[in-house]
Amino acid sequence: MNLNLVVAERVNNDTFFSYRGYRWLWANILLTLVLIVWYWLDEPLGVPNGGTFYGYTVGGIAAAGIAYLMWYGIRKRSYHSQTTTLKGTLAAHVWLGVALSIIVPLHAGFQFGWNIHTIAYVLMMIVVVSGIWGALYYATLASQVQSHRGGGTVKDIVQQIHIAEQNLSALVAQKSDHLMEVKRFVDQQLGGSEFKPRFWSMLLGHSAANFDPESLATLLAKLPDAESADGISLVQGADRKRELINRVQHEVKTLTKLKVWLYIHLPVSCALMVAVLIHIFVVFFYRG
Amino acid sequence: MSAVEHEVAIIGAGPAGLGAASNAAHHKTSHVLIERKELGNTIFDYQLGKLVMAEPAKLPLRAHIPFEQGSREEILEGWTQAITSLGANVRKAEVKAIERIEGGFKISCSDGEVTAKNVVLAIGVQGTPRKLGVPGEDLPHVTYTLSDPAAFVGKDVLVVGAGDAAIENALALCEKNTVSLLNRGAEFPRAKEANGAKIMEAIRAGKIRHFINSEMSRVEAETVHIETAEGEVALKCNHIIARLGGILPRGFLEKCGIEFSSKDPTAVPVVNGRYESSVPGLFVLGALIGYPLIKHAINQGYEVIEHILGNEVEPADQVLIAEKLKDIEGDPKKVLADIRSQLPLFKELSDAQFRELVIDSTIHQLDAGSVVFERNDYTDTFFSIVSGQVAVELSEERKIPIDVGNFFGEMGLLSGRRRVARVRVTKQALLLESPRKQLLKLINSVPSLKRALDEVFMLRALETQVFPEADADFLRELIKNAKMKNFKKGEVLFREGDVGDVLYVIRKGSVKISRRNRRGADVTQTYVPAGRIVGEMALLSEADAPRSATVTAAVGCETIILTKSAFQHLLDENPRVRQRVNELVRARQVENVVSETAETTGQLLDFMMAEGVTDADNILLIDSDLCIGCDNCEKACESTHRGFSRLDRKGGKSLANIQIPISCRHCENPLCMLDCPPDALTRLPDGEVIIRDSCIGCGNCVRNCPYGVIQLVHDHPDHGGFSLLSLLGLSKKDAEEGPAKAAKCDQCEDLKGGPACVRACPTGAAMRVNPRQLLEITSRKGR
């Protein structure tokens, strides 16, 4: 039995990519194809560039497209909207964004250089790529957020790690040095006895590997008979702690990835808007 | 001249008592008002500055004391002034006993005796808090309320109890006092989740000392002795606040000779239209007879004095009656009497009860052919036929006529489910449509009404839902031996392997069916909603047969129990019923053979039942495979609901790919609606449970909701939508004004596009579903 069936059966399997049979993908493919064919048929005076009739027209379309993409930030917060769902708007946003990465070079006649015009294109591409990056994260990482699946929040797991550590410390208290040595070994493998939930170390840290079995066996063999059971409990407890540390790292990484791309996507899109305005001003008014 | 001192003694100076005393003083009748505490005790005990509402707004006030919506202090001042200027005779004493003597009553008080010809009992229920039950419980520093936490500074306070009142008091006091909390158990199972969390935090932080598994043994002036598991502790303490709940002082009332309508704990004293109890000359008013609203109580106080003086008094609600009956020709009084004579079901209601029923009801004059309600409508009112005739249309061929004096709509009334059939007027009819709450109140106080309804409930449940093929007269015979039994959530109807001897018809609620798998673990298989039968498999053979599964109440259930012989008789006499039952049994047998139900499905079913999905009519679920945790659903809710989100995504529970946020389930049987004084909670025809503006902020629904989805909040102005200020976090929140009111999900009834949470989800993870379909899918796919 696949639990996904429970939900899948009832909700149509539309995602923000496939919304209504990929209607926005098809619309943007159509738009792009029409502009490509026109570009191919167009015979401007001189080389194709942004200043031809074709260039101005496609430039107007691209500018309107960018305005529409920027409007998503407003639409997302227009909670009273009754005409569209946010999912549908996001579908249009995603596919139009991808399409613009082709439409804009058509507008420029593939003329790039060290100038404000190309800066605008570069900024746009940063926004588009970061957007694709984010969309792929949305599509693939959502199901990995364990706290959404009854797995406990980051705070819960950190607390469990502390409890696990307390249990381990209690286990070795007033026991032989040999047992303490096993404890020191596992602590060292886990990067210290106290787990400190530092954001960066959780984000960048590697998942803790299994304890080296040979070293463990050597250490366990030294234990007095009376403590051999304690030794096994200690290793089991440490392994549980290791598993918890990996879980919390995974959760923090997943949650961070779902947001981190926005720190590029949003500021650069604002910069893009400014660059586009300068680009338009330069083209029409600047007579330097 | 009788030997008694007064014409009337009024006991209790709450609203009813003050209404009575002021009128007696006005008439210059010899009277005494006995109160052990303060004038206007009911609201004296409210927290300082609390706004008191004057519900019901339309009912005229009839009294010599003023009463309008206002602060606690304003109202108390108005009452005290009125009582003083009228020269009412107030005696501050506690009443110990009331005895009959010749020519009246003897009232033994803490400061002597009083005799009076008539006694008016208006002591309410708040004045009877459950006491500590230990020596010293009556010492002056033991109180049962906390009106002004600010009045306590630097004291050693002990709060007793583990409910919300105790927790709230302890928390309010712990910043400026040394507070201890005495708990019989170790936890706070009865408290709201938020309160439980707050008190645990305060205890952990060392702000409150928590005595667990402890009982008080005695109270002394400066010390209180507590028995803990580790032995007795003497705690220094100069104030004790006991919050152990209130009780209807039934023992005291019965000792006075007053009869009750039934043994039910919710039953109230029987009184006639003049508020006179079964003891002549002893009158009972207000909350004691089920009128918790202040205005009702004041009016009753006024009227009872007029009755005692022998004055004709038109009830205060006569204007409302006249208004209600204005479309019917004739003198309203006569019309009312005519209506009453047509409805034998309400024969045993008192005049006051019947008038209240009519005032709360709607009168319909309908022509032949008009539809009263449609099948699957969500209305839950109760209809009585004053004249004309209607027909219940179960199907095109099957229409059951109902004549004058009878009633219909009772299934929706008790089960809280959709209407099971369309009802159409067949002869021009005058109908009385009464609200569910009003009927339930009457059922609790008038036993004959309950009996009559029970029989019809059972008959119609069998007739319409369970055995529609059976002959109606046959069923009528059958129910004479049938019993009704209620099961609490989690209670077992029967266990796998038990010998089957009865059939259960689920009339209300739903049950889960579970079987042991090969490893012996009990695995949930499916659930059975109201209107179906369980337990039929073991009854089909003559010999004793074991139950093939365990059946547990998934929510509170009402069942009808038929014996094995009655059921077999039914099958013998009705071949079509037999055929259908056989089909049902075969289907269930096949299921049992085929299924080695996956445990995961069972776990998911159990999870959803625990989270109230089986209760729900419409629930917000989040598909974790799609949820990116952006919380735009909460932001949308906040923005469309005056700055306060009614859903808490993270606070809810989740399993596998299903998250159930803390959000209204729009339950089939909404517990929040049970005890709403202004009836502000209501269910719309399409199933939504909403809170109307008439909410008075009493918090009953907050306490009654098992899923913690209702909160008391202050209104904030509508955000409208996107704004740069709100984006930058600069929009200012307005100051909190007026009383906090109950708020919860209303499924965005004002937005025609549907719930904002779902519309604002960028990935389509948030969805609203009717869980019945969901569960059927789960159980089918699980095999």
Side-chain angles (χ1 to χ4, degrees):
Chain A
M1 157 72 187
N2 177 0
L3 289 177
N4 291 326
L5 286 171
V6 178
V7 169
E9 189 78 14
R10 201 176 1 76
V11 197
N12 49 24
N13 276 312
D14 257 9
T15 65
F16 61 88
F17 291 122
S18 65
Y19 180 74
R20 302 232 170 137
Y22 289 98
R23 81 159 50 158
W24 290 109
L25 172 63
W26 292 118
N28 283 294
I29 287 179
L30 186 68
L31 173 68
T32 313
L33 280 180
V34 166
L35 296 180
I36 288 175
V37 170
W38 185 11
Y39 181 86
W40 186 54
L41 296 176
D42 191 37
E43 289 179 0
L45 292 169
V47 289
N49 67 76
T52 63
F53 175 70
Y54 176 88
Y56 280 132
T57 312
V58 178
I61 292 172
I66 288 173
Y68 177 79
L69 294 179
M70 295 299 297
W71 172 77
Y72 180 80
I74 295 176
R75 168 62 187 89
K76 182 182 171 223
R77 294 168 180 82
S78 304
Y79 300 112
H80 285 82
S81 170
Q82 295 299 296
T83 44
T84 54
T85 60
L86 191 61
K87 185 168 85 172
T89 316
L90 180 59
H93 178 87
V94 167
W95 292 120
L96 180 61
V98 174
L100 281 185
S101 61
I102 302 168
I103 292 171
V104 170
L106 291 174
H107 149 71
F110 296 94
Q111 288 191 353
F112 300 107
W114 292 104
N115 53 40
I116 178 70
H117 315 293
T118 302
I119 286 177
Y121 178 68
V122 169
L123 288 175
M124 192 193 82
M125 285 315 292
I126 293 174
V127 177
V128 169
V129 170
S130 65
I132 294 173
W133 181 34
L136 291 177
Y137 270 173
Y138 272 17
T140 54
L141 291 184
S143 60
Q144 294 186 30
V145 182
Q146 293 305 315
S147 56
H148 291 176
R149 312 176 77 85
T153 61
V154 170
K155 209 173 139 193
D156 295 340
I157 304 173
V158 168
Q159 203 172 4
Q160 286 175 33
I161 294 173
H162 287 313
I163 291 170
E165 173 53 33
Q166 281 166 16
N167 292 341
L168 291 180
S169 302
L171 192 66
V172 296
Q174 294 168 5
K175 297 278 168 63
S176 73
D177 286 347
H178 295 297
L179 193 64
M180 196 59 217
E181 208 173 319
V182 182
K183 172 84 165 52
R184 269 196 296 273
F185 172 72
V186 293
D187 283 348
Q188 174 243 325
Q189 298 257 304
L190 294 176
S193 65
E194 275 301 308
F195 175 77
K196 296 192 184 66
R198 289 198 191 91
F199 178 73
W200 286 109
S201 66
M202 282 199 277
L203 194 60
L204 302 173
H206 297 288
S207 53
N210 287 333
F211 302 119
D212 172 27
E214 278 177 32
S215 318
L216 255 186
T218 317
L219 288 168
L220 287 174
K222 290 184 194 159
L223 290 177
D225 287 349
E227 287 179 2
S228 63
D230 291 335
I232 300 298
S233 309
L234 182 66
V235 174
Q236 281 170 344
D239 200 52
R240 159 102 180 123
K241 189 178 153 193
R242 184 183 61 79
E243 192 250 337
L244 287 168
I245 291 175
N246 287 344
R247 253 170 66 191
V248 79
Q249 272 182 353
H250 181 265
E251 182 76 1
V252 169
K253 279 182 188 170
T254 313
L255 290 175
T256 309
K257 281 178 180 174
L258 284 170
K259 292 202 177 73
V260 67
W261 62 277
L262 283 167
Y263 289 93
I264 299 172
H265 193 69
L266 298 186
V268 179
S269 68
C270 292
L272 165 66
M273 195 167 65
V274 174
V276 168
L277 289 175
I278 295 172
H279 158 67
I280 294 170
F281 175 79
V282 166
V283 167
F284 287 101
F285 305 106
Y286 184 68
R287 294 281 179 268
Chain B
M1 184 69 202
S2 69
V4 295
E5 297 164 64
H6 300 289
E7 178 69 21
V8 54
I10 300 147
I11 303 172
L18 290 176
S22 59
N23 197 21
H26 171 78
H27 283 292
K28 309 225 182 310
T29 306
S30 153
H31 69 280
V32 60
L33 173 63
I34 310 171
E35 170 60 56
R36 64 185 167 132
K37 286 157 84 187
E38 307 291 334
L39 286 187
N41 221 335
T42 315
I43 69 167
F44 187 87
D45 287 343
Y46 288 174
Q47 238 164 277
L48 292 185
K50 180 180 158 104
L51 184 79
V52 183
M53 316 285 279
E55 297 287 329
K58 272 195 255 164
L59 183 71
L61 179 74
R62 207 189 242 169
H64 300 288
I65 56 171
F67 181 57
E68 273 173 15
Q69 178 176 320
S71 74
R72 165 190 178 276
E73 286 71 19
E74 285 163 3
I75 292 172
L76 283 177
E77 197 192 324
W79 288 356
T80 311
Q81 261 179 17
I83 288 295
T84 318
S85 65
L86 284 164
N89 175 23
V90 183
R91 176 168 179 160
K92 196 159 182 180
E94 184 172 356
V95 171
K96 298 288 186 194
I98 302 170
E99 285 167 67
R100 285 220 70 146
I101 54 167
E102 202 183 327
F105 296 88
K106 181 178 86 181
I107 301 153
S108 314
C109 298
S110 49
D111 63 347
E113 284 175 2
V114 181
T115 55
K117 197 170 154 198
N118 298 290
V119 172
V120 173
L121 260 183
I123 54 180
V125 291
Q126 293 176 12
T128 322
R130 187 161 282 122
K131 290 200 164 185
L132 290 170
V134 297
E137 62 178 10
D138 294 322
L139 286 171
H141 68 291
V142 179
T143 59
Y144 296 90
T145 56
L146 172 66
S147 60
D148 186 12
F152 288 78
V153 178
K155 295 212 171 179
D156 294 306
V157 185
L158 176 69
V159 180
V160 187
D164 285 312
I167 292 175
E168 282 162 16
N169 287 175
L171 290 172
L173 294 170
C174 71
E175 296 296 341
K176 294 186 178 158
N177 302 276
T178 311
V179 175
S180 306
L181 186 66
L182 182 64
N183 190 346
R184 279 186 145 183
E187 293 167 82
F188 301 92
R190 277 177 297 126
K192 288 196 289 268
E193 213 171 297
N195 271 338
K198 275 191 215 153
I199 191 80
M200 289 313 290
E201 203 181 306
I203 291 168
R204 265 198 297 272
K207 289 179 182 168
I208 293 174
R209 183 170 174 195
H210 188 200
F211 288 95
I212 59 167
N213 300 319
S214 303
E215 303 231 7
M216 194 180 284
S217 52
R218 64 183 193 279
V219 182
E220 288 164 5
E222 291 287 324
T223 345
V224 53
H225 295 266
I226 299 170
E227 303 241 356
T228 70
E230 289 82 38
E232 197 184 272
V233 176
L235 181 76
K236 181 169 171 268
C237 167
N238 38 38
H239 200 93
I240 295 173
I241 301 171
R243 301 313 301 260
L244 307 167
I247 37 173
L248 185 88
R250 185 162 176 155
F252 174 74
L253 296 173
E254 282 181 335
K255 216 165 70 189
C256 300
I258 296 169
E259 284 170 17
F260 279 66
S261 57
S262 72
K263 289 202 171 114
D264 191 283
T266 60
V268 294
V270 181
V271 292
N272 65 15
R274 304 167 62 224
Y275 308 109
E276 195 166 11
S277 71
S278 52
V279 182
L282 182 54
F283 298 79
V284 188
L285 301 183
L288 288 179
I289 53 169
Y291 288 89
L293 293 176
I294 294 174
K295 204 192 265 181
H296 274 143
I298 298 177
N299 282 350
Q300 288 176 357
Y302 176 92
E303 286 165 25
V304 79
I305 295 299
E306 300 294 325
H307 291 310
I308 288 171
L309 295 177
N311 297 338
E312 262 304 301
V313 57
E314 201 171 63
D317 54 19
Q318 184 60 35
V319 279
L320 302 181
I321 292 268
E323 168 71 21
K324 189 62 73 178
L325 302 178
K326 69 177 187 309
D327 292 335
I328 305 173
E329 268 179 48
D331 174 28
K333 280 182 199 157
K334 193 175 167 301
V335 174
L336 187 72
D338 286 347
I339 293 177
R340 184 153 195 182
S341 67
Q342 290 295 341
L343 302 176
L345 181 67
F346 300 125
K347 202 170 66 203
E348 290 188 17
L349 265 57
S350 71
D351 273 346
Q353 283 169 327
F354 188 73
R355 297 172 72 88
E356 203 182 332
L357 177 71
V358 172
I359 289 168
D360 285 346
S361 302
T362 312
I363 308 262
H364 298 279
Q365 300 189 71
L366 297 172
D367 291 330
S370 36
V371 172
V372 183
F373 54 71
E374 291 284 352
R375 181 185 153 83
N376 284 342
D377 271 2
Y378 253 120
T379 48
D380 58 4
T381 49
F382 178 89
F383 289 85
S384 313
I385 308 178
V386 182
S387 70
Q389 188 196 49
V390 302
V392 180
E393 302 183 355
L394 294 173
S395 64
E396 279 306 310
E397 314 85 61
R398 207 169 139 82
K399 296 177 181 173
I400 303 174
I402 304 182
D403 287 312
V404 175
N406 284 309
F407 52 88
F408 60 94
E410 75 292 337
M411 302 277 281
L413 177 70
L414 267 210
S415 73
R417 289 199 178 234
R418 294 164 185 262
R419 299 288 194 193
V420 294
R422 176 197 290 145
V423 173
R424 197 193 287 278
V425 177
T426 43
K427 279 182 209 151
Q428 191 184 31
L430 185 67
L431 305 178
L432 188 69
E433 181 186 9
S434 315
R436 175 170 183 268
K437 190 172 140 64
Q438 183 63 282
L439 251 291
L440 294 183
K441 187 171 149 188
L442 289 176
I443 288 169
N444 280 335
S445 48
V446 184
S448 66
L449 185 62
K450 182 168 170 55
R451 254 194 326 274
L453 283 173
D454 274 352
E455 283 205 9
V456 174
F457 278 136
M458 287 200 280
L459 177 65
R460 293 203 183 142
L462 298 185
E463 207 170 42
T464 57
Q465 287 178 289
V466 193
F467 306 119
E469 305 90 344
D471 179 57
D473 291 329
F474 180 86
L475 290 177
R476 207 160 288 140
E477 277 305 303
L478 193 71
I479 55 155
K480 292 210 170 128
N481 293 316
K483 279 189 299 187
M484 304 221 303
K485 190 168 179 193
N486 297 349
F487 292 90
K488 290 196 199 96
K489 183 174 182 168
E491 229 179 309
V492 174
L493 280 70
F494 55 79
R495 282 183 202 284
E496 187 174 347
D498 288 356
V499 173
D501 49 0
V502 291
L503 176 85
Y504 293 86
V505 177
I506 314 295
R507 217 187 69 192
K508 182 182 165 191
S510 52
V511 296
K512 78 169 179 181
I513 298 188
S514 58
R515 297 178 68 224
R516 282 190 288 275
N517 67 6
R518 285 196 207 108
R519 283 180 287 130
D522 212 32
V523 174
T524 303
Q525 304 222 304
T526 185
Y527 102 120
V528 176
R532 310 254 183 101
I533 54 175
V534 288
E536 75 293 337
M537 279 172 74
L539 300 185
L540 288 180
S541 61
E542 291 295 329
D544 285 349
R547 299 290 192 190
S548 64
T550 300
V551 174
T552 315
V555 294
C557 287
E558 287 178 12
T559 64
I560 301 170
I561 300 181
L562 298 180
T563 59
K564 183 170 182 171
S565 59
F567 180 54
Q568 286 184 336
H569 183 50
L570 171 76
L571 298 186
D572 292 342
E573 295 292 315
N574 297 276
R576 287 171 65 200
V577 175
R578 176 178 284 279
Q579 191 194 334
R580 201 166 57 86
V581 170
N582 277 338
E583 281 166 17
L584 178 70
V585 167
R586 224 167 295 137
R588 284 190 182 163
Q589 276 166 343
V590 170
E591 278 181 7
N592 286 351
V593 175
V594 177
S595 71
E596 180 55 30
T597 308
E599 268 179 81
T600 39
T601 316
Q603 281 167 3
L604 192 66
L605 274 168
D606 283 343
F607 166 67
M608 296 214 257
M609 280 175 197
E611 287 303 301
V613 172
T614 45
D615 261 347
D617 183 70
N618 178 305
I619 189 166
L620 174 66
L621 293 185
I622 294 176
D623 183 348
S624 304
D625 286 343
L626 300 175
C627 176
I628 50 163
C630 67
D631 284 330
N632 213 34
C633 46
E634 280 186 22
K635 288 170 206 156
C637 187
E638 186 182 321
S639 170
T640 47
H641 292 92
R642 303 176 183 192
F644 187 87
S645 175
R646 282 100 206 272
L647 85 93
D648 180 356
R649 185 185 65 80
K650 288 196 208 73
K653 301 236 168 76
S654 47
L655 183 83
N657 64 333
I658 292 187
Q659 292 180 65
I660 304 179
I662 297 180
S663 171
C664 181
R665 277 95 162 117
H666 301 274
C667 299
E668 295 239 319
N669 181 26
L671 294 177
C672 54
M673 276 165 66
L674 280 185
D675 193 13
C676 177
D679 233 346
L681 271 150
T682 187
R683 196 201 266 288
L684 295 179
D686 57 357
E688 292 162 34
V689 177
I690 60 155
I691 304 173
R692 283 183 299 214
D693 289 342
S694 53
C695 171
I696 56 172
C698 68
N700 283 353
C701 53
V702 180
R703 286 183 285 278
N704 283 338
C705 173
Y707 309 110
V709 307
I710 311 181
Q711 281 160 292
L712 290 178
V713 296
H714 285 90
D715 274 357
H716 287 296
D718 230 334
H719 282 269
F722 176 82
S723 90
L724 205 57
L725 284 179
S726 71
L727 191 62
L728 299 172
L730 294 177
S731 61
K732 62 174 196 293
K733 297 239 169 179
D734 284 39
E736 296 178 346
E737 275 177 19
K741 289 190 173 190
K744 66 168 199 68
C745 164
D746 58 0
Q747 290 193 48
C748 295
E749 50 162 345
D750 299 332
L751 299 182
K752 66 176 189 301
C757 50
V758 174
R759 300 187 66 83
C761 178
T763 61
M767 60 202 147
R768 290 210 160 258
V769 294
N770 178 323
R772 251 188 308 283
Q773 302 152 358
L774 183 73
L775 285 165
E776 272 162 28
I777 290 161
T778 322
S779 53
R780 204 169 58 236
K781 292 288 173 187
R783 306 284 149 82

